Amino acid sequence: MLMTIKQLSDLTAPSGWENSVRNAIGSYAEQRGFSCETDRLGNLLVHVPGKKAPSEPILLAAHMDEPGFMVEEITKEGLLKFGLSGSIARRNILGRQVLAGDGGYHGVVGLRPIHLTTVEERKKLPKVEDLYIDLGFADKQETEAKIQPGESGVFAEPFRMLGDKVLGKAMSRSVSCAVLMKLMEQALPVDVTMVFTVQHQVGCRGAYGVGAGYEGNYVVLDACPGTSGDGEHPKLGKGPVIPRMDKNAMFDRELTQKLLSAAKDIPVQSVARTEVAGDGGMIQQSGHGNQVAALYCPMAYEKAPCQMIDPKDAEQMLAVLTAFLEEAAE
Protein backbone atom coordinates (compact mmCIF):
# COMPACT_ATOMS: atom_id res chain seq x y z
CA MET A 1 0.00 0.00 0.00
CA LEU A 2 2.70 2.45 1.02
CA MET A 3 4.71 1.96 -2.17
CA THR A 4 1.60 2.39 -4.31
CA ILE A 5 0.74 5.64 -2.52
CA LYS A 6 4.31 6.87 -3.11
CA GLN A 7 4.23 5.98 -6.82
CA LEU A 8 0.99 7.91 -7.28
CA SER A 9 2.19 10.88 -5.22
CA ASP A 10 5.32 11.15 -7.37
CA LEU A 11 3.25 11.52 -10.56
CA THR A 12 2.27 14.95 -11.91
CA ALA A 13 -1.44 15.31 -12.73
CA PRO A 14 -3.08 18.73 -12.32
CA SER A 15 -6.72 19.05 -13.41
CA GLY A 16 -7.08 18.49 -17.13
CA TRP A 17 -3.63 16.85 -17.36
CA GLU A 18 -4.33 13.48 -15.71
CA ASN A 19 -2.64 11.33 -18.39
CA SER A 20 0.21 10.08 -16.21
CA VAL A 21 -2.09 8.76 -13.48
CA ARG A 22 -4.64 7.36 -15.95
CA ASN A 23 -1.86 5.51 -17.80
CA ALA A 24 -0.39 4.12 -14.58
CA ILE A 25 -3.73 2.83 -13.28
CA GLY A 26 -4.82 1.55 -16.68
CA SER A 27 -1.57 -0.39 -17.11
CA TYR A 28 -1.89 -1.80 -13.58
CA ALA A 29 -5.42 -3.01 -14.35
CA GLU A 30 -4.67 -4.43 -17.79
CA GLN A 31 -1.74 -6.43 -16.38
CA ARG A 32 -4.34 -8.20 -14.25
CA GLY A 33 -6.58 -8.87 -17.24
CA PHE A 34 -9.29 -6.30 -16.46
CA SER A 35 -11.22 -4.43 -19.12
CA CYS A 36 -10.63 -0.65 -19.16
CA GLU A 37 -12.34 2.17 -20.97
CA THR A 38 -11.81 5.93 -21.08
CA ASP A 39 -14.83 8.14 -21.66
CA ARG A 40 -14.83 11.37 -23.66
CA LEU A 41 -14.06 13.45 -20.57
CA GLY A 42 -11.03 11.34 -19.74
CA ASN A 43 -12.49 9.36 -16.84
CA LEU A 44 -11.08 5.84 -16.57
CA LEU A 45 -13.41 2.92 -15.84
CA VAL A 46 -12.02 -0.47 -14.84
CA HIS A 47 -14.41 -3.43 -14.86
CA VAL A 48 -13.35 -5.95 -12.24
CA PRO A 49 -15.32 -9.23 -12.40
CA GLY A 50 -16.24 -11.02 -9.18
CA LYS A 51 -17.75 -14.39 -8.40
CA LYS A 52 -21.23 -13.14 -9.23
CA ALA A 53 -23.19 -10.04 -10.21
CA PRO A 54 -24.55 -7.88 -7.36
CA SER A 55 -28.27 -7.15 -7.07
CA GLU A 56 -27.50 -3.56 -8.15
CA PRO A 57 -24.37 -2.27 -9.92
CA ILE A 58 -21.59 -1.28 -7.49
CA LEU A 59 -19.18 1.47 -8.47
CA LEU A 60 -16.18 2.65 -6.44
CA ALA A 61 -14.91 6.12 -7.34
CA ALA A 62 -11.70 8.10 -6.76
CA HIS A 63 -10.30 11.18 -8.50
CA MET A 64 -6.99 11.27 -10.40
CA ASP A 65 -6.05 14.96 -10.36
CA GLU A 66 -4.25 17.08 -7.78
CA PRO A 67 -4.17 20.77 -6.81
CA GLY A 68 -1.93 22.91 -8.96
CA PHE A 69 -1.87 26.04 -11.09
CA MET A 70 -2.31 27.25 -14.66
CA VAL A 71 0.01 29.67 -16.42
CA GLU A 72 -1.96 32.75 -17.44
CA GLU A 73 0.70 35.20 -18.62
CA ILE A 74 4.44 35.52 -19.18
CA THR A 75 5.97 38.86 -18.19
CA LYS A 76 8.71 40.65 -20.13
CA GLU A 77 11.15 39.45 -17.46
CA GLY A 78 10.19 35.82 -18.23
CA LEU A 79 8.18 35.28 -15.04
CA LEU A 80 4.92 33.29 -15.00
CA LYS A 81 1.72 34.86 -13.74
CA PHE A 82 -0.67 32.11 -12.72
CA GLY A 83 -3.98 31.11 -11.19
CA LEU A 84 -4.58 28.29 -8.72
CA SER A 85 -6.57 25.18 -9.64
CA GLY A 86 -7.72 23.30 -6.58
CA SER A 87 -7.88 23.59 -2.83
CA ILE A 88 -4.59 25.34 -2.06
CA ALA A 89 -4.62 28.31 0.32
CA ARG A 90 -2.56 31.19 -1.04
CA ARG A 91 -0.97 31.76 2.37
CA ASN A 92 0.81 28.42 1.93
CA ILE A 93 2.48 28.88 -1.47
CA LEU A 94 4.99 31.75 -1.27
CA GLY A 95 8.52 30.38 -1.65
CA ARG A 96 7.33 26.89 -2.63
CA GLN A 97 9.02 24.97 -5.42
CA VAL A 98 6.91 23.97 -8.42
CA LEU A 99 7.00 21.86 -11.56
CA ALA A 100 5.57 23.72 -14.56
CA GLY A 101 4.47 22.39 -17.93
CA ASP A 102 4.87 19.03 -19.66
CA GLY A 103 8.62 19.39 -19.54
CA GLY A 104 8.61 19.51 -15.77
CA TYR A 105 10.50 22.79 -15.47
CA HIS A 106 11.46 23.57 -11.90
CA GLY A 107 10.59 26.97 -10.45
CA VAL A 108 9.77 28.84 -7.28
CA VAL A 109 6.82 31.02 -6.27
CA GLY A 110 8.01 34.57 -5.68
CA LEU A 111 6.81 38.04 -4.70
CA ARG A 112 8.04 41.58 -5.29
CA PRO A 113 11.07 42.27 -3.05
CA ILE A 114 10.04 43.42 0.42
CA HIS A 115 12.02 46.69 0.17
CA LEU A 116 9.81 47.68 -2.79
CA THR A 117 6.55 47.19 -0.88
CA THR A 118 4.67 49.66 1.30
CA VAL A 119 4.11 49.29 5.03
CA GLU A 120 0.43 48.55 4.38
CA GLU A 121 1.26 45.89 1.78
CA ARG A 122 3.49 44.11 4.29
CA LYS A 123 0.57 43.78 6.69
CA LYS A 124 -1.64 41.97 4.16
CA LEU A 125 -1.62 38.46 2.75
CA PRO A 126 -0.48 38.74 -0.90
CA LYS A 127 -3.10 38.02 -3.54
CA VAL A 128 -2.36 35.32 -6.11
CA GLU A 129 -2.18 37.99 -8.83
CA ASP A 130 0.70 39.61 -6.91
CA LEU A 131 2.75 36.40 -7.02
CA TYR A 132 4.79 34.94 -9.86
CA ILE A 133 6.72 31.78 -10.70
CA ASP A 134 10.40 32.16 -11.53
CA LEU A 135 11.80 29.36 -13.73
CA GLY A 136 15.25 30.95 -13.88
CA PHE A 137 15.02 31.94 -17.55
CA ALA A 138 16.47 35.26 -18.75
CA ASP A 139 13.46 36.87 -20.42
CA LYS A 140 10.04 36.36 -22.01
CA GLN A 141 11.47 34.93 -25.24
CA GLU A 142 13.46 32.24 -23.44
CA THR A 143 10.51 31.32 -21.22
CA GLU A 144 8.08 31.12 -24.15
CA ALA A 145 10.40 28.63 -25.86
CA LYS A 146 9.77 26.28 -22.92
CA ILE A 147 6.22 26.91 -21.74
CA GLN A 148 3.07 28.70 -22.92
CA PRO A 149 0.02 30.27 -21.22
CA GLY A 150 -2.62 27.61 -20.64
CA GLU A 151 -0.14 24.97 -19.50
CA SER A 152 -0.43 23.65 -15.97
CA GLY A 153 1.86 22.66 -13.14
CA VAL A 154 1.97 21.34 -9.59
CA PHE A 155 3.83 21.96 -6.36
CA ALA A 156 7.07 19.96 -6.15
CA GLU A 157 6.80 18.38 -2.72
CA PRO A 158 8.78 15.18 -2.02
CA PHE A 159 7.29 12.04 -0.51
CA ARG A 160 8.74 11.20 2.90
CA MET A 161 8.02 9.38 6.15
CA LEU A 162 7.60 11.37 9.36
CA GLY A 163 7.58 8.77 12.10
CA ASP A 164 4.62 6.53 11.31
CA LYS A 165 2.97 9.20 9.11
CA VAL A 166 3.42 10.02 5.42
CA LEU A 167 3.98 13.52 4.04
CA GLY A 168 3.70 14.32 0.35
CA LYS A 169 1.76 16.03 -2.40
CA ALA A 170 -1.55 14.87 -3.88
CA MET A 171 -2.37 12.68 -0.89
CA SER A 172 -6.15 12.66 -1.47
CA ARG A 173 -5.61 11.34 -5.01
CA SER A 174 -2.82 8.99 -4.04
CA VAL A 175 -4.54 7.32 -1.08
CA SER A 176 -7.91 6.91 -2.82
CA CYS A 177 -6.52 5.49 -6.05
CA ALA A 178 -4.02 3.28 -4.19
CA VAL A 179 -6.80 1.66 -2.16
CA LEU A 180 -8.70 0.75 -5.33
CA MET A 181 -5.54 -0.52 -7.03
CA LYS A 182 -4.83 -2.81 -4.08
CA LEU A 183 -8.45 -3.99 -4.20
CA MET A 184 -7.82 -5.09 -7.80
CA GLU A 185 -5.37 -7.65 -6.43
CA GLN A 186 -8.10 -9.51 -4.52
CA ALA A 187 -10.58 -12.11 -5.75
CA LEU A 188 -13.79 -10.11 -5.36
CA PRO A 189 -17.10 -11.69 -4.34
CA VAL A 190 -19.12 -9.48 -6.72
CA ASP A 191 -18.56 -7.56 -9.95
CA VAL A 192 -17.33 -4.02 -9.41
CA THR A 193 -16.66 -1.05 -11.67
CA MET A 194 -13.87 1.20 -10.44
CA VAL A 195 -14.15 4.78 -11.62
CA PHE A 196 -11.17 7.16 -11.71
CA THR A 197 -12.40 10.68 -12.40
CA VAL A 198 -10.82 13.80 -13.89
CA GLN A 199 -11.08 17.50 -13.00
CA HIS A 200 -12.14 16.98 -9.41
CA GLN A 201 -10.13 20.01 -8.28
CA VAL A 202 -11.99 22.40 -10.60
CA GLY A 203 -15.57 21.48 -9.75
CA CYS A 204 -15.91 17.66 -9.86
CA ARG A 205 -16.56 17.85 -13.61
CA GLY A 206 -15.54 14.31 -14.44
CA ALA A 207 -17.80 12.92 -11.73
CA TYR A 208 -20.83 14.58 -13.29
CA GLY A 209 -20.30 12.71 -16.55
CA VAL A 210 -19.72 9.40 -14.80
CA GLY A 211 -22.88 9.70 -12.73
CA ALA A 212 -24.94 10.48 -15.84
CA GLY A 213 -23.53 7.57 -17.80
CA TYR A 214 -23.36 4.81 -15.20
CA GLU A 215 -26.18 4.30 -12.73
CA GLY A 216 -25.78 2.27 -9.57
CA ASN A 217 -24.63 2.37 -5.96
CA TYR A 218 -21.45 4.41 -5.56
CA VAL A 219 -18.89 4.54 -2.78
CA VAL A 220 -16.70 7.61 -3.25
CA LEU A 221 -13.17 7.55 -1.85
CA ASP A 222 -11.34 10.76 -0.96
CA ALA A 223 -9.57 12.48 1.94
CA CYS A 224 -11.09 14.81 4.51
CA PRO A 225 -9.65 17.35 6.97
CA GLY A 226 -7.99 15.57 9.88
CA THR A 227 -5.51 16.21 12.64
CA SER A 228 -2.65 14.34 14.24
CA GLY A 229 -3.25 16.22 17.51
CA ASP A 230 -6.18 17.58 19.45
CA GLY A 231 -9.11 19.23 17.71
CA GLU A 232 -12.56 18.67 16.30
CA HIS A 233 -11.42 17.04 13.06
CA PRO A 234 -11.11 13.26 12.68
CA LYS A 235 -7.83 11.86 14.00
CA LEU A 236 -5.10 10.40 11.83
CA GLY A 237 -4.53 6.73 12.62
CA LYS A 238 -7.98 6.16 14.12
CA GLY A 239 -9.53 4.72 10.98
CA PRO A 240 -11.25 6.04 7.84
CA VAL A 241 -14.17 8.43 8.04
CA ILE A 242 -17.74 7.52 7.04
CA PRO A 243 -19.68 10.82 6.88
CA ARG A 244 -23.40 11.47 6.66
CA MET A 245 -22.82 14.53 4.45
CA ASP A 246 -20.14 16.76 2.98
CA LYS A 247 -20.22 20.11 1.15
CA ASN A 248 -21.71 18.61 -2.00
CA ALA A 249 -23.81 15.65 -0.89
CA MET A 250 -26.27 14.31 1.66
CA PHE A 251 -25.23 10.66 1.50
CA ASP A 252 -27.72 7.86 1.08
CA ARG A 253 -28.75 6.58 4.52
CA GLU A 254 -29.16 2.94 3.50
CA LEU A 255 -25.85 2.71 1.65
CA THR A 256 -24.01 4.54 4.44
CA GLN A 257 -25.45 2.12 6.98
CA LYS A 258 -24.22 -0.80 4.88
CA LEU A 259 -20.70 0.64 5.01
CA LEU A 260 -20.95 1.07 8.78
CA SER A 261 -22.30 -2.46 9.18
CA ALA A 262 -19.46 -3.89 7.10
CA ALA A 263 -16.96 -2.01 9.29
CA LYS A 264 -18.27 -3.37 12.59
CA ASP A 265 -14.92 -5.03 13.40
CA ILE A 266 -12.75 -2.35 11.73
CA PRO A 267 -11.82 1.01 13.32
CA VAL A 268 -13.76 3.79 11.58
CA GLN A 269 -14.81 7.32 12.48
CA SER A 270 -18.48 8.10 11.87
CA VAL A 271 -19.15 11.84 11.57
CA ALA A 272 -22.19 13.92 10.75
CA ARG A 273 -20.48 16.30 8.33
CA THR A 274 -17.06 16.82 6.86
CA GLU A 275 -15.77 19.84 4.93
CA VAL A 276 -15.06 18.10 1.64
CA ALA A 277 -16.31 19.23 -1.75
CA GLY A 278 -16.33 15.66 -2.99
CA ASP A 279 -17.33 13.93 -6.22
CA GLY A 280 -20.29 12.32 -4.48
CA GLY A 281 -22.60 15.30 -4.89
CA MET A 282 -22.18 15.44 -8.67
CA ILE A 283 -22.58 11.67 -9.02
CA GLN A 284 -25.66 11.75 -6.80
CA GLN A 285 -27.38 14.50 -8.78
CA SER A 286 -26.53 13.54 -12.36
CA GLY A 287 -28.54 11.38 -14.74
CA HIS A 288 -31.57 9.88 -13.00
CA GLY A 289 -29.79 10.10 -9.64
CA ASN A 290 -27.57 7.59 -7.85
CA GLN A 291 -27.21 6.24 -4.34
CA VAL A 292 -23.90 7.47 -2.94
CA ALA A 293 -21.92 6.87 0.25
CA ALA A 294 -18.41 8.08 1.13
CA LEU A 295 -15.27 6.62 2.65
CA TYR A 296 -12.65 9.24 3.45
CA CYS A 297 -9.08 9.13 4.74
CA PRO A 298 -8.34 11.73 7.45
CA MET A 299 -5.60 14.09 6.22
CA ALA A 300 -3.75 16.94 7.92
CA TYR A 301 -2.78 20.21 6.14
CA GLU A 302 -5.33 19.65 3.40
CA LYS A 303 -4.99 23.15 1.88
CA ALA A 304 -1.19 23.08 1.81
CA PRO A 305 1.03 21.98 -1.10
CA CYS A 306 1.85 18.81 0.87
CA GLN A 307 -0.42 16.81 3.16
CA MET A 308 -0.02 14.21 5.92
CA ILE A 309 -1.82 10.87 6.27
CA ASP A 310 -1.41 7.71 8.33
CA PRO A 311 -0.96 4.61 6.11
CA LYS A 312 -2.97 2.54 8.62
CA ASP A 313 -6.08 4.51 7.63
CA ALA A 314 -5.55 3.53 3.98
CA GLU A 315 -5.21 -0.14 4.95
CA GLN A 316 -8.45 0.11 6.91
CA MET A 317 -10.21 1.74 3.95
CA LEU A 318 -9.27 -1.35 1.96
CA ALA A 319 -10.58 -3.59 4.76
CA VAL A 320 -13.91 -1.73 4.89
CA LEU A 321 -14.42 -2.03 1.12
CA THR A 322 -13.54 -5.74 1.21
CA ALA A 323 -16.08 -6.38 3.97
CA PHE A 324 -18.69 -4.22 2.18
CA LEU A 325 -18.35 -6.27 -1.02
CA GLU A 326 -18.55 -9.53 0.91
CA GLU A 327 -21.84 -8.44 2.48
CA ALA A 328 -23.12 -7.35 -0.94
CA ALA A 329 -22.61 -10.92 -2.15
CA GLU A 330 -24.84 -12.42 0.54
Side-chain angles (χ1 to χ4, degrees):
M1 178 71 77
L2 187 61
M3 289 306 300
T4 305
I5 293 172
K6 180 185 185 303
Q7 289 165 4
L8 289 165
S9 176
D10 287 343
L11 296 175
T12 297
S15 298
W17 303 70
E18 296 92 350
N19 289 9
S20 63
V21 174
R22 182 169 50 244
N23 292 342
I25 297 172
S27 175
Y28 192 89
E30 288 173 351
Q31 289 173 11
R32 287 156 179 79
F34 302 138
S35 172
C36 300
E37 62 176 302
T38 301
D39 70 12
R40 296 175 70 178
L41 277 169
N43 299 305
L44 174 68
L45 292 97
V46 180
H47 304 285
V48 182
K51 294 181 179 178
K52 67 176 186 178
S55 57
E56 294 183 80
I58 296 175
L59 300 99
L60 308 176
H63 66 87
M64 296 186 288
D65 57 328
E66 65 187 279
F69 60 87
M70 179 173 285
V71 179
E72 296 182 347
E73 179 188 346
I74 300 175
T75 71
K76 63 180 181 180
E77 296 85 8
L79 305 173
L80 307 182
K81 304 298 287 184
F82 65 96
L84 294 175
S85 57
S87 55
I88 295 288
R90 70 180 192 272
R91 67 178 179 272
N92 294 323
I93 64 175
L94 182 60
R96 294 282 189 167
Q97 295 186 57
V98 301
L99 286 170
D102 277 346
Y105 300 105
H106 286 266
V108 62
V109 179
L111 179 66
R112 189 159 49 124
I114 192 168
H115 65 276
L116 298 180
T117 60
T118 66
V119 174
E120 288 303 312
E121 285 176 328
R122 291 172 209 158
K123 295 179 181 178
K124 297 177 181 178
L125 182 67
K127 298 179 180 179
V128 174
E129 51 263 37
D130 297 330
L131 303 174
Y132 58 81
I133 292 172
D134 189 344
L135 301 180
F137 299 132
D139 53 28
K140 183 174 184 178
Q141 183 177 0
E142 187 176 349
T143 302
E144 286 182 335
K146 307 293 185 181
I147 192 168
Q148 293 291 319
E151 294 191 51
S152 293
V154 299
F155 294 91
E157 297 291 336
F159 183 95
R160 63 188 65 182
M161 296 296 299
L162 294 181
D164 60 351
K165 307 294 193 301
V166 166
L167 187 70
K169 72 176 184 66
M171 278 294 107
S172 64
R173 179 269 305 294
S174 302
V175 170
S176 304
C177 292
V179 169
L180 293 187
M181 291 169 72
K182 300 307 287 185
L183 191 62
M184 291 181 197
E185 298 178 0
Q186 301 183 13
L188 300 185
V190 292
D191 300 341
V192 170
T193 298
M194 298 184 185
V195 180
F196 300 90
T197 63
V198 297
Q199 300 185 39
H200 165 84
Q201 299 289 342
V202 291
C204 305
R205 297 171 186 179
Y208 190 86
V210 165
Y214 301 87
E215 295 183 359
N217 293 338
Y218 282 80
V219 178
V220 175
L221 281 64
D222 206 333
C224 67
T227 179
S228 55
D230 296 330
E232 297 179 358
H233 290 313
K235 306 297 186 293
L236 274 63
K238 299 298 183 182
V241 174
I242 301 177
R244 302 296 176 142
M245 66 179 296
D246 68 9
K247 286 184 176 181
N248 288 345
M250 178 72 74
F251 296 114
D252 182 79
R253 292 176 61 187
E254 181 181 355
L255 195 56
T256 298
Q257 188 55 49
K258 287 180 179 179
L259 269 184
L260 289 168
S261 174
K264 58 182 178 296
D265 298 321
I266 303 166
V268 295
Q269 302 178 73
S270 178
V271 302
R273 177 187 173 95
T274 185
E275 295 300 307
V276 176
D279 279 351
M282 290 299 185
I283 292 172
Q284 191 178 56
Q285 299 169 46
S286 57
H288 297 291
N290 294 286
Q291 290 184 314
V292 178
L295 184 64
Y296 292 158
C297 180
M299 180 178 74
Y301 317 116
E302 107 273 6
K303 291 190 179 297
C306 59
Q307 306 87 38
M308 180 187 288
I309 61 103
D310 189 319
K312 294 194 298 291
D313 296 325
E315 294 285 358
Q316 288 158 355
M317 289 174 76
L318 178 61
V320 171
L321 288 179
T322 301
F324 170 75
L325 296 176
E326 288 172 351
E327 291 197 357
E330 295 176 355

